[in-house]
Amino acid sequence: KMKENNSLLYEGKVKHSYPVCWRCKKDVIFRATPQWFMNLQKDGLKETAFKAIKDVKWVPDWGLDRMSNMLGNRPDWCLSRQRAWGVPIPAFYCKNCGETFLSADSIDHFAELVEKDGVDIWFTKGVDELISKNAKCQKCGASDFSKENDILDVWFDSGVSHLCVIDVRKVTDFADVYLEGTDQYRGWFQSSLWPAVA
């Protein structure tokens, strides 16, 4: 069309690499999707994280500088992933107005169901079986909901794993030692820090 109306300034071909899935060897198709984020700028969370890492004995000691640089450059943490497996994000959406329904009560209700039947009930049960009986949209008052399909980032699972050990052993409020490679300044060290300070 641009050639037809004489508005094309330049045409050329570019050969470039394209991402391919390492498992199935098919092209990766990118798409924008709504996501769940932890805002690391909110309520002084980042400042609290900076204070917390200063109380850590880093071995080697340059770890403090490395972690400080990584924290300083990070505005948020994407908590959601689009997978058919994993720990579900127990949120619902109002079918009438699209408002997100997620509250302490709805999470507690889901947690009780998980204790009885396991986390896979999110994938096997319908909304009516998962949401509390008197759930109403806070925006429009409707009570017809759909459920979230995303799961939590697996880094979140690993980041809160120390809380499970502490709870079972009833030893302390925090983990005493983390031993890992230097690649975990971006991974496990941060995924453990953010939920702990939050």
Side-chain angles (χ1 to χ4, degrees):
K1 190 70 179 170
M2 291 176 77
K3 280 182 184 177
E4 288 175 20
N5 65 22
N6 209 23
S7 62
L8 181 64
L9 299 177
Y10 176 78
E11 178 185 8
K13 292 187 178 185
V14 177
K15 185 176 180 178
H16 63 89
S17 61
Y18 192 83
V20 174
C21 174
W22 65 275
R23 284 185 178 168
C24 69
K25 309 298 184 225
K26 292 182 181 171
D27 292 344
V28 175
I29 298 171
F30 294 99
R31 62 187 176 97
T33 61
Q35 300 286 348
W36 289 84
F37 287 90
M38 178 184 229
N39 182 350
L40 307 178
Q41 316 289 333
K42 191 173 182 182
D43 298 330
L45 187 59
K46 192 173 272 198
E47 291 77 20
T48 304
F50 274 115
K51 287 177 190 168
I53 64 171
K54 288 179 180 161
D55 290 335
V56 172
K57 181 179 183 337
W58 294 89
V59 179
D61 55 5
W62 53 257
L64 176 60
D65 289 336
R66 181 160 185 194
M67 186 60 115
S68 295
N69 290 334
M70 290 209 171
L71 298 186
N73 294 327
R74 189 166 189 177
D76 51 41
W77 176 11
C78 183
L79 296 173
S80 53
R81 297 291 181 268
Q82 294 71 52
R83 302 274 188 274
W85 50 267
V87 176
I89 297 173
F92 301 90
Y93 298 99
C94 177
K95 286 187 176 179
N96 186 52
C97 71
E99 184 74 8
T100 302
F101 181 81
L102 180 65
S103 66
D105 289 339
S106 69
I107 291 172
D108 288 343
H109 177 74
F110 180 61
E112 289 172 14
L113 296 174
V114 169
E115 281 186 37
K116 286 191 282 187
D117 300 317
V119 75
D120 281 347
I121 64 164
W122 187 261
F123 305 106
T124 60
K125 303 282 185 189
V127 172
D128 292 342
E129 298 171 274
L130 297 170
I131 200 167
S132 51
K133 299 284 182 242
N134 300 324
K136 297 260 186 247
C137 175
Q138 288 123 348
K139 186 175 180 183
C140 73
S143 57
D144 193 15
F145 295 95
S146 61
K147 61 183 172 179
E148 173 64 72
N149 291 316
D150 288 358
I151 63 159
L152 274 172
D153 177 11
V154 294
W155 281 109
F156 189 88
D157 293 346
S158 67
V160 297
S161 62
H162 70 279
L163 296 172
C164 301
V165 173
I166 288 165
D167 190 42
V168 169
R169 294 187 181 170
K170 299 186 183 346
V171 287
T172 182
D173 291 336
F174 298 100
D176 294 320
V177 177
Y178 270 67
L179 297 172
E180 255 300 347
T182 58
D183 58 327
Q184 295 308 321
Y185 286 91
R186 185 177 307 283
W188 192 35
F189 296 161
Q190 282 196 55
S191 70
S192 300
L193 174 67
W194 293 119
V197 296

